[in-house]
mmCIF file of all heavy atoms in Angstrom:
data_model
loop_
_atom_site.group_PDB
_atom_site.id
_atom_site.type_symbol
_atom_site.label_atom_id
_atom_site.label_comp_id
_atom_site.label_asym_id
_atom_site.label_seq_id
_atom_site.Cartn_x
_atom_site.Cartn_y
_atom_site.Cartn_z
ATOM 1 N N ASN C 98 69.569 121.724 268.751
ATOM 2 C CA ASN C 98 68.638 120.738 268.194
ATOM 3 C C ASN C 98 69.319 119.562 267.515
ATOM 4 O O ASN C 98 68.682 118.770 266.845
ATOM 5 C CB ASN C 98 67.647 121.376 267.216
ATOM 6 C CG ASN C 98 66.796 122.401 267.924
ATOM 7 O OD1 ASN C 98 66.517 122.256 269.100
ATOM 8 N ND2 ASN C 98 66.398 123.430 267.218
ATOM 9 N N ASP C 99 70.623 119.406 267.692
ATOM 10 C CA ASP C 99 71.320 118.236 267.172
ATOM 11 C C ASP C 99 71.526 117.268 268.329
ATOM 12 O O ASP C 99 71.898 117.673 269.409
ATOM 13 C CB ASP C 99 72.693 118.602 266.609
ATOM 14 C CG ASP C 99 72.560 119.415 265.342
ATOM 15 O OD1 ASP C 99 71.528 119.278 264.669
ATOM 16 O OD2 ASP C 99 73.476 120.169 265.053
ATOM 17 N N ASN C 100 71.328 115.992 268.098
ATOM 18 C CA ASN C 100 71.515 115.005 269.150
ATOM 19 C C ASN C 100 72.943 114.492 269.082
ATOM 20 O O ASN C 100 73.248 113.592 268.331
ATOM 21 C CB ASN C 100 70.562 113.833 268.966
ATOM 22 C CG ASN C 100 69.152 114.338 268.791
ATOM 23 O OD1 ASN C 100 68.823 115.372 269.341
ATOM 24 N ND2 ASN C 100 68.336 113.653 268.031
ATOM 25 N N GLU C 101 73.813 115.089 269.845
ATOM 26 C CA GLU C 101 75.206 114.675 269.802
ATOM 27 C C GLU C 101 75.515 113.810 271.001
ATOM 28 O O GLU C 101 75.299 114.187 272.138
ATOM 29 C CB GLU C 101 76.129 115.889 269.799
ATOM 30 C CG GLU C 101 77.579 115.469 269.826
ATOM 31 C CD GLU C 101 78.473 116.588 269.375
ATOM 32 O OE1 GLU C 101 78.213 117.158 268.313
ATOM 33 O OE2 GLU C 101 79.433 116.881 270.091
ATOM 34 N N ILE C 102 76.051 112.623 270.760
ATOM 35 C CA ILE C 102 76.371 111.734 271.855
ATOM 36 C C ILE C 102 77.580 112.261 272.598
ATOM 37 O O ILE C 102 78.564 112.658 271.996
ATOM 38 C CB ILE C 102 76.644 110.309 271.330
ATOM 39 C CG1 ILE C 102 75.354 109.746 270.744
ATOM 40 C CG2 ILE C 102 77.165 109.414 272.420
ATOM 41 C CD1 ILE C 102 75.512 108.422 270.094
ATOM 42 N N ASN C 103 77.506 112.266 273.914
ATOM 43 C CA ASN C 103 78.630 112.704 274.723
ATOM 44 C C ASN C 103 79.608 111.540 274.856
ATOM 45 O O ASN C 103 79.341 110.563 275.536
ATOM 46 C CB ASN C 103 78.105 113.143 276.096
ATOM 47 C CG ASN C 103 79.235 113.530 277.024
ATOM 48 O OD1 ASN C 103 80.384 113.612 276.599
ATOM 49 N ND2 ASN C 103 78.908 113.768 278.276
ATOM 50 N N ILE C 104 80.740 111.616 274.181
ATOM 51 C CA ILE C 104 81.632 110.467 274.062
ATOM 52 C C ILE C 104 82.350 110.131 275.356
ATOM 53 O O ILE C 104 83.017 109.112 275.436
ATOM 54 C CB ILE C 104 82.683 110.702 272.955
ATOM 55 C CG1 ILE C 104 83.521 111.944 273.273
ATOM 56 C CG2 ILE C 104 82.039 110.833 271.601
ATOM 57 C CD1 ILE C 104 84.678 112.132 272.332
ATOM 58 N N ASP C 105 82.240 110.975 276.383
ATOM 59 C CA ASP C 105 82.947 110.704 277.628
ATOM 60 C C ASP C 105 82.123 109.894 278.633
ATOM 61 O O ASP C 105 82.627 109.522 279.680
ATOM 62 C CB ASP C 105 83.351 112.030 278.303
ATOM 63 C CG ASP C 105 84.290 112.831 277.414
ATOM 64 O OD1 ASP C 105 85.118 112.190 276.750
ATOM 65 O OD2 ASP C 105 84.189 114.061 277.400
ATOM 66 N N THR C 106 80.866 109.660 278.349
ATOM 67 C CA THR C 106 80.021 109.002 279.336
ATOM 68 C C THR C 106 80.216 107.490 279.338
ATOM 69 O O THR C 106 80.515 106.877 278.310
ATOM 70 C CB THR C 106 78.536 109.285 279.066
ATOM 71 O OG1 THR C 106 78.215 108.766 277.786
ATOM 72 C CG2 THR C 106 78.240 110.768 279.114
ATOM 73 N N PRO C 107 80.030 106.858 280.481
ATOM 74 C CA PRO C 107 80.081 105.394 280.535
ATOM 75 C C PRO C 107 79.053 104.773 279.598
ATOM 76 O O PRO C 107 79.297 103.714 279.011
ATOM 77 C CB PRO C 107 79.745 105.091 282.003
ATOM 78 C CG PRO C 107 80.085 106.333 282.744
ATOM 79 C CD PRO C 107 79.822 107.457 281.804
ATOM 80 N N ALA C 108 77.889 105.458 279.458
ATOM 81 C CA ALA C 108 76.847 104.928 278.576
ATOM 82 C C ALA C 108 77.334 104.835 277.140
ATOM 83 O O ALA C 108 77.081 103.855 276.435
ATOM 84 C CB ALA C 108 75.613 105.833 278.649
ATOM 85 N N HIS C 109 78.078 105.867 276.696
ATOM 86 C CA HIS C 109 78.558 105.846 275.311
ATOM 87 C C HIS C 109 79.601 104.758 275.100
ATOM 88 O O HIS C 109 79.698 104.171 274.023
ATOM 89 C CB HIS C 109 79.139 107.204 274.938
ATOM 90 C CG HIS C 109 79.532 107.291 273.502
ATOM 91 N ND1 HIS C 109 80.820 107.161 273.073
ATOM 92 C CD2 HIS C 109 78.778 107.444 272.379
ATOM 93 C CE1 HIS C 109 80.866 107.244 271.757
ATOM 94 N NE2 HIS C 109 79.647 107.422 271.316
ATOM 95 N N LYS C 110 80.405 104.479 276.123
ATOM 96 C CA LYS C 110 81.399 103.400 276.012
ATOM 97 C C LYS C 110 80.702 102.063 275.791
ATOM 98 O O LYS C 110 81.195 101.197 275.065
ATOM 99 C CB LYS C 110 82.274 103.351 277.261
ATOM 100 C CG LYS C 110 83.234 104.554 277.351
ATOM 101 C CD LYS C 110 83.982 104.570 278.665
ATOM 102 C CE LYS C 110 84.848 105.833 278.757
ATOM 103 N NZ LYS C 110 85.500 105.949 280.071
ATOM 104 N N ARG C 111 79.524 101.906 276.419
ATOM 105 C CA ARG C 111 78.776 100.654 276.218
ATOM 106 C C ARG C 111 78.247 100.568 274.800
ATOM 107 O O ARG C 111 78.190 99.496 274.200
ATOM 108 C CB ARG C 111 77.624 100.584 277.234
ATOM 109 C CG ARG C 111 78.098 100.387 278.651
ATOM 110 C CD ARG C 111 76.950 99.944 279.559
ATOM 111 N NE ARG C 111 75.948 100.976 279.737
ATOM 112 C CZ ARG C 111 76.066 101.957 280.631
ATOM 113 N NH1 ARG C 111 77.142 102.049 281.386
ATOM 114 N NH2 ARG C 111 75.123 102.866 280.760
ATOM 115 N N ILE C 112 77.866 101.744 274.212
ATOM 116 C CA ILE C 112 77.411 101.765 272.822
ATOM 117 C C ILE C 112 78.529 101.301 271.898
ATOM 118 O O ILE C 112 78.328 100.508 271.000
ATOM 119 C CB ILE C 112 76.984 103.185 272.406
ATOM 120 C CG1 ILE C 112 75.688 103.555 273.082
ATOM 121 C CG2 ILE C 112 76.805 103.293 270.910
ATOM 122 C CD1 ILE C 112 75.194 104.920 272.704
ATOM 123 N N LYS C 113 79.742 101.829 272.152
ATOM 124 C CA LYS C 113 80.868 101.496 271.280
ATOM 125 C C LYS C 113 81.152 100.002 271.295
ATOM 126 O O LYS C 113 81.490 99.411 270.281
ATOM 127 C CB LYS C 113 82.100 102.293 271.697
ATOM 128 C CG LYS C 113 81.948 103.750 271.317
ATOM 129 C CD LYS C 113 83.070 104.704 271.460
ATOM 130 C CE LYS C 113 84.350 104.424 271.955
ATOM 131 N NZ LYS C 113 85.248 105.568 272.099
ATOM 132 N N LYS C 114 80.995 99.397 272.464
ATOM 133 C CA LYS C 114 81.206 97.945 272.551
ATOM 134 C C LYS C 114 80.179 97.208 271.722
ATOM 135 O O LYS C 114 80.461 96.243 271.023
ATOM 136 C CB LYS C 114 81.114 97.492 274.009
ATOM 137 C CG LYS C 114 82.341 97.849 274.833
ATOM 138 C CD LYS C 114 82.202 97.306 276.248
ATOM 139 C CE LYS C 114 83.422 97.705 277.080
ATOM 140 N NZ LYS C 114 83.291 97.251 278.481
ATOM 141 N N LYS C 115 78.904 97.689 271.762
ATOM 142 C CA LYS C 115 77.845 97.043 270.996
ATOM 143 C C LYS C 115 78.066 97.202 269.504
ATOM 144 O O LYS C 115 77.772 96.310 268.715
ATOM 145 C CB LYS C 115 76.488 97.628 271.392
ATOM 146 C CG LYS C 115 76.078 97.277 272.816
ATOM 147 C CD LYS C 115 74.688 97.799 273.117
ATOM 148 C CE LYS C 115 74.306 97.451 274.552
ATOM 149 N NZ LYS C 115 72.925 97.776 274.852
ATOM 150 N N ARG C 116 78.608 98.362 269.106
ATOM 151 C CA ARG C 116 78.790 98.625 267.688
ATOM 152 C C ARG C 116 79.846 97.726 267.053
ATOM 153 O O ARG C 116 79.840 97.499 265.859
ATOM 154 C CB ARG C 116 79.173 100.096 267.484
ATOM 155 C CG ARG C 116 77.988 101.028 267.606
ATOM 156 C CD ARG C 116 78.391 102.460 267.378
ATOM 157 N NE ARG C 116 77.201 103.309 267.401
ATOM 158 C CZ ARG C 116 77.254 104.630 267.423
ATOM 159 N NH1 ARG C 116 78.403 105.247 267.422
ATOM 160 N NH2 ARG C 116 76.148 105.333 267.443
ATOM 161 N N LYS C 117 80.786 97.242 267.875
ATOM 162 C CA LYS C 117 81.848 96.403 267.339
ATOM 163 C C LYS C 117 81.288 95.150 266.683
ATOM 164 O O LYS C 117 81.843 94.637 265.724
ATOM 165 C CB LYS C 117 82.830 96.028 268.449
ATOM 166 C CG LYS C 117 83.750 97.175 268.852
ATOM 167 C CD LYS C 117 84.719 96.750 269.926
ATOM 168 C CE LYS C 117 85.608 97.929 270.333
ATOM 169 N NZ LYS C 117 86.528 97.558 271.431
ATOM 170 N N GLY C 118 80.186 94.651 267.213
ATOM 171 C CA GLY C 118 79.618 93.419 266.669
ATOM 172 C C GLY C 118 78.572 93.636 265.591
ATOM 173 O O GLY C 118 77.973 92.676 265.104
ATOM 174 N N LEU C 119 78.336 94.891 265.204
ATOM 175 C CA LEU C 119 77.317 95.182 264.205
ATOM 176 C C LEU C 119 77.818 94.845 262.800
ATOM 177 O O LEU C 119 79.011 94.906 262.523
ATOM 178 C CB LEU C 119 76.933 96.651 264.266
ATOM 179 C CG LEU C 119 76.123 97.063 265.500
ATOM 180 C CD1 LEU C 119 76.017 98.566 265.562
ATOM 181 C CD2 LEU C 119 74.738 96.443 265.492
ATOM 182 N N PRO C 120 76.900 94.513 261.905
ATOM 183 C CA PRO C 120 77.298 94.198 260.523
ATOM 184 C C PRO C 120 77.824 95.423 259.793
ATOM 185 O O PRO C 120 77.578 96.558 260.192
ATOM 186 C CB PRO C 120 75.999 93.696 259.893
ATOM 187 C CG PRO C 120 74.908 94.270 260.730
ATOM 188 C CD PRO C 120 75.451 94.375 262.114
ATOM 189 N N ASN C 121 78.564 95.182 258.680
ATOM 190 C CA ASN C 121 79.076 96.266 257.853
ATOM 191 C C ASN C 121 77.931 96.942 257.114
ATOM 192 O O ASN C 121 76.840 96.386 256.968
ATOM 193 C CB ASN C 121 80.097 95.742 256.849
ATOM 194 C CG ASN C 121 81.361 95.278 257.535
ATOM 195 O OD1 ASN C 121 81.751 95.826 258.568
ATOM 196 N ND2 ASN C 121 81.996 94.261 256.979
ATOM 197 N N ILE C 122 78.209 98.131 256.581
ATOM 198 C CA ILE C 122 77.152 98.902 255.928
ATOM 199 C C ILE C 122 76.603 98.191 254.694
ATOM 200 O O ILE C 122 75.426 98.309 254.369
ATOM 201 C CB ILE C 122 77.638 100.324 255.581
ATOM 202 C CG1 ILE C 122 76.435 101.213 255.250
ATOM 203 C CG2 ILE C 122 78.682 100.309 254.467
ATOM 204 C CD1 ILE C 122 76.691 102.679 255.310
ATOM 205 N N ASP C 123 77.451 97.411 254.008
ATOM 206 C CA ASP C 123 76.955 96.695 252.822
ATOM 207 C C ASP C 123 76.056 95.531 253.189
ATOM 208 O O ASP C 123 75.393 94.935 252.329
ATOM 209 C CB ASP C 123 78.112 96.221 251.937
ATOM 210 C CG ASP C 123 79.122 95.388 252.690
ATOM 211 O OD1 ASP C 123 79.059 95.362 253.938
ATOM 212 O OD2 ASP C 123 79.970 94.753 252.037
ATOM 213 N N GLN C 124 76.021 95.171 254.473
ATOM 214 C CA GLN C 124 75.085 94.157 254.946
ATOM 215 C C GLN C 124 73.774 94.776 255.424
ATOM 216 O O GLN C 124 72.761 94.089 255.555
ATOM 217 C CB GLN C 124 75.718 93.356 256.100
ATOM 218 C CG GLN C 124 76.928 92.531 255.670
ATOM 219 C CD GLN C 124 77.615 91.898 256.856
ATOM 220 O OE1 GLN C 124 78.205 92.583 257.690
ATOM 221 N NE2 GLN C 124 77.508 90.580 256.964
ATOM 222 N N LEU C 125 73.808 96.080 255.679
ATOM 223 C CA LEU C 125 72.614 96.778 256.171
ATOM 224 C C LEU C 125 71.846 97.467 255.039
ATOM 225 O O LEU C 125 70.623 97.582 255.106
ATOM 226 C CB LEU C 125 73.019 97.838 257.205
ATOM 227 C CG LEU C 125 73.572 97.300 258.533
ATOM 228 C CD1 LEU C 125 74.230 98.418 259.305
ATOM 229 C CD2 LEU C 125 72.461 96.669 259.357
ATOM 230 N N LEU C 126 72.581 97.963 254.043
ATOM 231 C CA LEU C 126 71.958 98.680 252.936
ATOM 232 C C LEU C 126 72.274 98.014 251.606
ATOM 233 O O LEU C 126 73.326 97.391 251.444
ATOM 234 C CB LEU C 126 72.466 100.133 252.897
ATOM 235 C CG LEU C 126 72.091 101.049 254.074
ATOM 236 C CD1 LEU C 126 72.812 102.378 253.942
ATOM 237 C CD2 LEU C 126 70.592 101.264 254.149
ATOM 238 N N LYS C 127 71.360 98.168 250.677
ATOM 239 C CA LYS C 127 71.565 97.654 249.326
ATOM 240 C C LYS C 127 71.368 98.777 248.326
ATOM 241 O O LYS C 127 70.618 99.724 248.577
ATOM 242 C CB LYS C 127 70.569 96.523 249.020
ATOM 243 C CG LYS C 127 70.754 95.294 249.896
ATOM 244 C CD LYS C 127 69.709 94.248 249.571
ATOM 245 C CE LYS C 127 69.866 93.033 250.470
ATOM 246 N NZ LYS C 127 68.813 92.010 250.204
ATOM 247 N N LYS C 128 72.026 98.674 247.192
ATOM 248 C CA LYS C 128 71.879 99.678 246.160
ATOM 249 C C LYS C 128 70.428 99.769 245.717
ATOM 250 O O LYS C 128 69.740 98.754 245.581
ATOM 251 C CB LYS C 128 72.778 99.355 244.967
ATOM 252 C CG LYS C 128 72.895 100.501 243.983
ATOM 253 C CD LYS C 128 73.919 100.220 242.901
ATOM 254 C CE LYS C 128 74.012 101.407 241.947
ATOM 255 N NZ LYS C 128 74.981 101.178 240.861
ATOM 256 N N ASN C 129 69.943 101.007 245.500
ATOM 257 C CA ASN C 129 68.566 101.333 245.101
ATOM 258 C C ASN C 129 67.548 101.150 246.226
ATOM 259 O O ASN C 129 66.357 101.334 246.014
ATOM 260 C CB ASN C 129 68.137 100.518 243.881
ATOM 261 C CG ASN C 129 68.960 100.854 242.658
ATOM 262 O OD1 ASN C 129 69.334 102.011 242.454
ATOM 263 N ND2 ASN C 129 69.274 99.853 241.855
ATOM 264 N N GLN C 130 68.026 100.802 247.415
ATOM 265 C CA GLN C 130 67.112 100.697 248.560
ATOM 266 C C GLN C 130 66.614 102.085 248.948
ATOM 267 O O GLN C 130 67.356 103.059 248.907
ATOM 268 C CB GLN C 130 67.828 100.057 249.741
ATOM 269 C CG GLN C 130 66.974 99.952 251.009
ATOM 270 C CD GLN C 130 67.755 99.364 252.174
ATOM 271 O OE1 GLN C 130 68.763 98.681 251.976
ATOM 272 N NE2 GLN C 130 67.305 99.626 253.382
ATOM 273 N N GLU C 131 65.344 102.200 249.318
ATOM 274 C CA GLU C 131 64.784 103.481 249.761
ATOM 275 C C GLU C 131 64.871 103.570 251.276
ATOM 276 O O GLU C 131 64.598 102.591 251.976
ATOM 277 C CB GLU C 131 63.342 103.628 249.272
ATOM 278 C CG GLU C 131 63.246 103.717 247.748
ATOM 279 C CD GLU C 131 61.858 104.056 247.257
ATOM 280 O OE1 GLU C 131 60.907 103.981 248.060
ATOM 281 O OE2 GLU C 131 61.721 104.411 246.071
ATOM 282 N N ILE C 132 65.254 104.750 251.754
ATOM 283 C CA ILE C 132 65.507 104.916 253.187
ATOM 284 C C ILE C 132 65.111 106.326 253.609
ATOM 285 O O ILE C 132 65.287 107.288 252.858
ATOM 286 C CB ILE C 132 66.999 104.636 253.508
ATOM 287 C CG1 ILE C 132 67.290 104.853 254.993
ATOM 288 C CG2 ILE C 132 67.921 105.491 252.656
ATOM 289 C CD1 ILE C 132 68.709 104.473 255.393
ATOM 290 N N LEU C 133 64.575 106.468 254.823
ATOM 291 C CA LEU C 133 64.186 107.774 255.363
ATOM 292 C C LEU C 133 65.385 108.383 256.089
ATOM 293 O O LEU C 133 65.953 107.764 256.996
ATOM 294 C CB LEU C 133 63.011 107.620 256.330
ATOM 295 C CG LEU C 133 62.268 108.911 256.702
ATOM 296 C CD1 LEU C 133 61.536 109.471 255.485
ATOM 297 C CD2 LEU C 133 61.269 108.653 257.836
ATOM 298 N N VAL C 134 65.786 109.586 255.671
ATOM 299 C CA VAL C 134 66.955 110.232 256.281
ATOM 300 C C VAL C 134 66.638 111.692 256.603
ATOM 301 O O VAL C 134 65.732 112.283 256.029
ATOM 302 C CB VAL C 134 68.196 110.171 255.350
ATOM 303 C CG1 VAL C 134 68.677 108.746 255.188
ATOM 304 C CG2 VAL C 134 67.917 110.836 254.013
ATOM 305 N N GLN C 135 67.437 112.244 257.510
ATOM 306 C CA GLN C 135 67.281 113.646 257.922
ATOM 307 C C GLN C 135 68.618 114.371 257.742
ATOM 308 O O GLN C 135 69.683 113.787 257.980
ATOM 309 C CB GLN C 135 66.844 113.716 259.386
ATOM 310 C CG GLN C 135 66.529 115.122 259.879
ATOM 311 C CD GLN C 135 65.929 115.106 261.284
ATOM 312 O OE1 GLN C 135 66.288 114.275 262.116
ATOM 313 N NE2 GLN C 135 65.019 116.025 261.555
ATOM 314 N N ILE C 136 68.562 115.637 257.316
ATOM 315 C CA ILE C 136 69.789 116.416 257.135
ATOM 316 C C ILE C 136 70.393 116.725 258.503
ATOM 317 O O ILE C 136 69.786 117.406 259.327
ATOM 318 C CB ILE C 136 69.524 117.739 256.381
ATOM 319 C CG1 ILE C 136 68.826 117.477 255.054
ATOM 320 C CG2 ILE C 136 70.832 118.500 256.172
ATOM 321 C CD1 ILE C 136 69.612 116.693 254.050
ATOM 322 N N ALA C 137 71.591 116.193 258.743
ATOM 323 C CA ALA C 137 72.301 116.452 259.998
ATOM 324 C C ALA C 137 73.247 117.627 259.842
ATOM 325 O O ALA C 137 73.424 118.424 260.762
ATOM 326 C CB ALA C 137 73.067 115.209 260.433
ATOM 327 N N LYS C 138 73.892 117.720 258.665
ATOM 328 C CA LYS C 138 74.784 118.849 258.371
ATOM 329 C C LYS C 138 74.537 119.290 256.945
ATOM 330 O O LYS C 138 74.537 118.472 256.034
ATOM 331 C CB LYS C 138 76.250 118.438 258.548
ATOM 332 C CG LYS C 138 76.678 118.250 259.990
ATOM 333 C CD LYS C 138 78.163 117.950 260.072
ATOM 334 C CE LYS C 138 78.594 117.755 261.513
ATOM 335 N NZ LYS C 138 80.045 117.433 261.603
ATOM 336 N N GLU C 139 74.345 120.601 256.764
ATOM 337 C CA GLU C 139 74.118 121.134 255.424
ATOM 338 C C GLU C 139 75.408 121.095 254.611
ATOM 339 O O GLU C 139 76.501 120.986 255.178
ATOM 340 C CB GLU C 139 73.606 122.576 255.529
ATOM 341 C CG GLU C 139 72.226 122.684 256.129
ATOM 342 C CD GLU C 139 71.688 124.101 256.074
ATOM 343 O OE1 GLU C 139 72.159 124.880 255.231
ATOM 344 O OE2 GLU C 139 70.798 124.424 256.873
ATOM 345 N N PRO C 140 75.306 121.177 253.282
ATOM 346 C CA PRO C 140 76.516 121.204 252.459
ATOM 347 C C PRO C 140 77.405 122.379 252.848
ATOM 348 O O PRO C 140 76.915 123.476 253.104
ATOM 349 C CB PRO C 140 75.982 121.380 251.028
ATOM 350 C CG PRO C 140 74.556 120.975 251.090
ATOM 351 C CD PRO C 140 74.078 121.286 252.475
ATOM 352 N N VAL C 141 78.699 122.135 252.915
ATOM 353 C CA VAL C 141 79.670 123.182 253.217
ATOM 354 C C VAL C 141 80.746 123.152 252.141
ATOM 355 O O VAL C 141 81.418 122.138 251.964
ATOM 356 C CB VAL C 141 80.315 122.977 254.603
ATOM 357 C CG1 VAL C 141 81.357 124.055 254.862
ATOM 358 C CG2 VAL C 141 79.265 122.988 255.700
ATOM 359 N N LYS C 142 80.856 124.260 251.375
ATOM 360 C CA LYS C 142 81.832 124.395 250.305
ATOM 361 C C LYS C 142 81.701 123.216 249.331
ATOM 362 O O LYS C 142 80.686 123.030 248.711
ATOM 363 C CB LYS C 142 83.245 124.508 250.892
ATOM 364 C CG LYS C 142 83.446 125.781 251.709
ATOM 365 C CD LYS C 142 84.837 125.887 252.273
ATOM 366 C CE LYS C 142 84.988 127.161 253.091
ATOM 367 N NZ LYS C 142 86.312 127.274 253.715
ATOM 368 N N THR C 143 82.746 122.367 249.264
ATOM 369 C CA THR C 143 82.732 121.270 248.291
ATOM 370 C C THR C 143 82.084 120.006 248.855
ATOM 371 O O THR C 143 81.886 119.042 248.127
ATOM 372 C CB THR C 143 84.172 120.931 247.854
ATOM 373 O OG1 THR C 143 84.941 120.575 249.016
ATOM 374 C CG2 THR C 143 84.820 122.115 247.152
ATOM 375 N N LYS C 144 81.769 120.010 250.143
ATOM 376 C CA LYS C 144 81.212 118.812 250.769
ATOM 377 C C LYS C 144 79.699 118.778 250.624
ATOM 378 O O LYS C 144 79.028 119.797 250.787
ATOM 379 C CB LYS C 144 81.580 118.771 252.259
ATOM 380 C CG LYS C 144 83.080 118.694 252.517
ATOM 381 C CD LYS C 144 83.372 118.724 254.007
ATOM 382 C CE LYS C 144 84.868 118.692 254.280
ATOM 383 N NZ LYS C 144 85.153 118.777 255.737
ATOM 384 N N GLY C 145 79.168 117.581 250.349
ATOM 385 C CA GLY C 145 77.727 117.420 250.274
ATOM 386 C C GLY C 145 77.115 117.342 251.661
ATOM 387 O O GLY C 145 77.815 117.375 252.680
#
Side-chain angles (χ1 to χ4, degrees):
N98 298 329
D99 291 334
N100 309 329
E101 177 161 309
I102 294 175
N103 176 8
I104 60 173
D105 299 323
T106 61
H109 185 260
K110 289 174 184 175
R111 291 196 293 277
I112 288 181
K113 288 188 359 185
K114 285 183 182 177
K115 292 184 181 187
R116 283 181 176 170
K117 285 181 181 177
L119 289 170
N121 292 328
I122 195 162
D123 55 348
Q124 295 173 292
L125 292 166
L126 294 173
K127 296 178 182 178
K128 192 173 181 181
N129 296 324
Q130 178 183 338
E131 295 188 347
I132 178 175
L133 195 67
V134 293
Q135 185 173 35
I136 305 296
K138 288 184 180 179
E139 292 186 23
V141 178
K142 295 180 181 177
T143 58
K144 298 177 182 178

